[in-house]
Amino acid sequence: MKNPFKFGTIVEEPYFINRKKEIEKVISLLGSDNHLVVISPRRFGKSSLIGMAVKDLDRPVIAIDLQLVTSPADLAAQILKRIYRFYPAEKLKQYLKSFRVVPTLSLNPVSGAVDVSFMPGTTYLPVLEDVLNLAERVSTEKKKIIMIFDEFQDAVKIDTSLISFMRAVMQHHTMINYVFLGSQESLIRGIFEKKKSPFYHFGLVMYLPKIDVKEFMVFLKEGFSKLCENADAVAEEILFVTKGHPYYTQQLAFTVWERAALKKGEAGIVSEAVNELIMMHDMDYERLWLNFNRTDRKMLLGLALSDLQPLSDAFDREWDIGATSTAFSSIKRLMVNGFVIKTDKYELDDPFFTKWLRGRRER
Ligand SMILES: Nc1ncnc2c1ncn2[C@@H]1O[C@H](COP(=O)(O)OP(=O)(O)O)[C@@H](O)[C@H]1O
Ligand SMILES: [Mg+2]
C-alpha cells in the first residue's frame, strides 16, 4: 500500500485537498484582465494551488521560480525558453530579429527542448524588456499567456532595480495575466501594498490561509482508514499537533503512516512519530538556535512556552524583551525568515521546533 500523504514539493490530486473557493477565485481572476498576487507563509500551498488552478485552462503557462534565477539575464533566458515551448520557432524568429541583444539558442537533441542563454555580461535591461514584450506580442486573446513568478520576494535579491523595471514594462501589457506568489510576508506585502512601491495595487492580493481543519480531518481519516482501526483519533491527534499547517500536517501524517504500516503498535503512534521528526531535525534545530541573538531567543521561547502574544505587556514582563521597538523588530526579523507566522495571532511556524524548544528547556 502506498503512503497516501505527501510533503515537500507541489502536490496535485490525490494529495491535494480541494481549496475549492480559492481555485474558483483564481480561475475567475485569470479570466479577466487583472493580475494576481498570492501571499501566505511558506509551505501553505501557494504553488500547489496555482498549479491546480491553471492545470485545465488550456492556456500557455510560463512559471518561473525566482529562487532559482541567478541574474536578470538568466530570468530573461528562462522566460524565453518557456515561450519556445508554446510557439513555433519560425514565428518567434521574426520577433527575435528586432532584439537588441540576440540570444544563443541550442536545441537539446534528446528532449527537443530549446535552451536559451545570453552572453555573460549582457546588459540585462533591454534583454528582459525584449523578452517580456515578446510574450505580450505572441500571446492571443483566445489563449492569453499566464506568467507566474513564484517566490517573487526574491526578485530583490537578484537585482535591486529589477522590481521597478519589471513593473515599468509590465504595466503596458494587456495580453498577459501576471501572477506573483510570495512567501516572506512583510517583504512581499511591502512590494504590493506600500504606496511608494512600484507594484502598489498592481494586482488583486489574495491571502491564502491554512487548509480548513474539517477538510483536513476528512482527508486524514480516509488515508488512515485502510491501515488503522482508530483512524479518527489518529487524525485528530495529528491536527492537534500541527494546528492544520498544510506542510507539517502532511509530513506528520506521512511519518505516522509509515510507522503504522510497519505495525509498530497503534497506541501512542502519533507521539512516536512526532519524536522521530524532532530527533531527525535535532542538529538543524540546534544550529538554528545557536545563530539567534538573545532577543530572538527570548521571543521564540516565549512563543513556544506560553500563550502570551509577543507585543503585550505580559509577554514583556515574563520574558524581559525590553522596548516595544525591540520586540517589534525581533518579530519582524523572525517573520521575514519564516520562523514566526501570523495568522489570527503570532505563532511559531514549525510545531516540531516548538516541541524541541520545550523539550530542551525542560531537560
Ligand atoms: N491543498 C493542499 N492539500 C494538501 N496538502 C497541501 C495543499 N497545499 C499544500 N499542501 C502541503 O504543503 C506542502 C507545501 O505546498 P506548496 O504548494 O509547495 O507551498 P508554498 O508554495 O506555499 O510554499 C505540500 O508539499 C503539501 O504537503
Ligand atoms: Mg511555493
Side-chain angles (χ1 to χ4, degrees), residues 166-290:
M166 286 172 86
R167 160 75 215 239
V169 179
M170 291 170 175
Q171 66 179 341
H172 301 293
H173 291 174
T174 56
M175 298 300 280
I176 300 174
N177 289 112
Y178 287 106
V179 179
F180 306 88
L181 311 184
S183 285
Q184 294 179 8
E185 264 196 281
S186 51
L187 273 186
I188 199 80
R189 276 177 191 228
I191 295 173
F192 293 98
E193 294 185 338
K194 272 206 188 111
K195 276 216 170 96
K196 281 190 190 143
S197 165
F199 272 105
Y200 178 63
H201 281 183
F202 190 74
L204 177 101
V205 177
M206 177 174 157
Y207 289 96
L208 190 64
K210 286 179 184 170
I211 292 166
D212 184 69
V213 176
K214 280 195 217 104
E215 282 178 31
F216 232 141
M217 189 72 88
V218 173
F219 173 74
L220 293 178
K221 276 184 197 167
E222 198 189 317
F224 283 111
S225 61
K226 291 161 209 134
L227 208 57
C228 309
E229 275 171 17
N230 54 347
D232 287 20
V234 169
E236 264 166 45
E237 215 180 317
I238 288 174
L239 283 168
F240 181 76
V241 173
T242 61
K243 308 276 183 286
H245 188 302
Y247 172 88
Y248 295 112
T249 306
Q250 288 260 25
Q251 186 185 33
L252 181 54
F254 180 93
T255 313
V256 171
W257 203 91
E258 290 295 298
R259 293 187 88 90
L262 292 173
K263 297 238 179 297
K264 286 201 175 175
E266 293 200 352
I269 198 163
V270 175
S271 58
E272 283 165 20
V274 169
N275 286 335
E276 181 184 328
L277 288 169
I278 296 174
M279 289 219 305
M280 205 164 88
H281 294 125
D282 182 60
M283 234 165 70
D284 301 328
Y285 290 155
E286 186 161 292
R287 199 176 302 132
L288 279 177
W289 182 250
L290 296 176

Side-chain angles (χ1 to χ4, degrees), residues 10 43 45-48 150-151 181 183:
I10 291 177
R43 298 164 167 182
K46 295 175 293 298
S47 304
S48 302
D150 205 344
E151 304 292 355
L181 311 184
S183 285

